[in-house]
Amino acid sequence: DPDEVIPGQEAQCIPLHPEFRLIALANRPGFPFHGNDFFREVGDVFACHAIDNPDANSEMFLLRQYGPDVPQDTLRKLVAAFDELRSMSDDGQLSYPYSTRELTAIIKHMQAFPEDGVDRILRNVFDFDNYSHEEKQLLMDVFAKNGIPFSIGASSFHVSTGRTRALPPPRLIESWALAPPSAALVRGLPGPR
């Protein structure tokens, strides 16, 4: 009975079923996640297994579930591009290890809003990051190489948050100065400690 608490000598124990399994997911340690090193923290207690991204066929199968109406050719191009981006991250050419999570978000967006177009959908994922010029160029080159039009930072719309008005020149309306410690004592105020 998993709800039964058995008093022990020093603490209470909850007995585990012999077939109990715990599956915990964690990002790999280091940049950009800055999380704990999972293996270092719990490796002596759990059997830890690193799981790589799925192979291309498995990723295609998964993405078809999220985007049944997304053209197969588009899925193949995106899978190939993300595979290349991951390799570049492993080689240290890119700082972020692009995963199936980002690719799934792209496919889900394509399924829900096919009229947005692949370039705009990709910007939805990539424009939030602040890339160096070289990294932007690498990303655009990888997508272009795989037949996907993409231009980071380009936008087909403009957001205006309000009217711009010129302000008058600044003018001094008050100035403050620290009084010498002796002045504070003369006025009966407590001095510095």
Side-chain angles (χ1 to χ4, degrees):
D1 180 16
D3 297 325
E4 182 180 354
V5 176
I6 301 171
Q9 291 183 2
E10 294 181 20
Q12 293 187 347
C13 301
I14 299 175
L16 298 177
H17 189 276
E19 294 180 23
F20 172 80
R21 299 291 181 268
L22 173 71
I23 297 175
L25 301 176
N27 287 323
R28 63 187 187 184
F31 186 83
F33 304 112
H34 305 296
N36 292 323
D37 183 342
F38 188 76
F39 184 76
R40 185 188 73 216
E41 300 298 330
V42 298
D44 58 337
V45 184
F46 295 109
C48 299
H49 304 280
I51 309 294
D52 287 329
N53 285 300
D55 61 60
N57 289 334
S58 299
E59 199 163 47
M60 282 290 292
F61 178 81
L62 172 73
L63 295 174
R64 276 194 294 263
Q65 308 311 303
Y66 285 109
D69 300 325
V70 176
Q72 294 297 308
D73 188 49
T74 302
L75 289 177
R76 270 192 289 286
K77 289 176 181 179
L78 286 167
V79 166
F82 268 74
D83 186 53
E84 189 171 341
L85 292 176
R86 291 180 200 126
S87 294
M88 293 172 87
S89 174
D90 291 342
D91 294 342
Q93 293 176 285
L94 291 174
S95 59
Y96 188 80
Y98 297 98
S99 70
T100 303
R101 174 178 33 207
E102 288 86 14
L103 187 49
T104 301
I106 290 166
I107 299 305
K108 287 168 77 174
H109 189 133
M110 288 179 143
Q111 179 67 27
F113 306 101
E115 68 281 354
D116 280 355
V118 69
D119 184 59
R120 184 173 182 180
I121 294 169
L122 287 173
R123 284 196 319 265
N124 225 13
V125 170
F126 291 98
D127 274 356
F128 288 104
D129 293 319
N130 189 14
Y131 299 104
S132 68
H133 175 73
E134 294 79 19
E135 198 159 316
K136 283 180 184 181
Q137 193 60 52
L138 276 174
L139 289 169
M140 290 189 295
D141 290 347
V142 167
F143 284 105
K145 178 179 164 185
N146 287 283
I148 302 166
F150 178 46
S151 54
I152 296 177
S155 180
S156 59
F157 59 92
H158 174 72
V159 176
S160 178
T161 57
R163 259 189 5 226
T164 302
R165 295 189 326 183
L167 296 175
R171 61 184 172 93
L172 182 63
I173 58 171
E174 187 173 347
S175 69
W176 292 19
L178 292 175
S182 60
L185 293 174
V186 170
R187 293 187 188 125
L189 299 173
R193 297 181 184 183

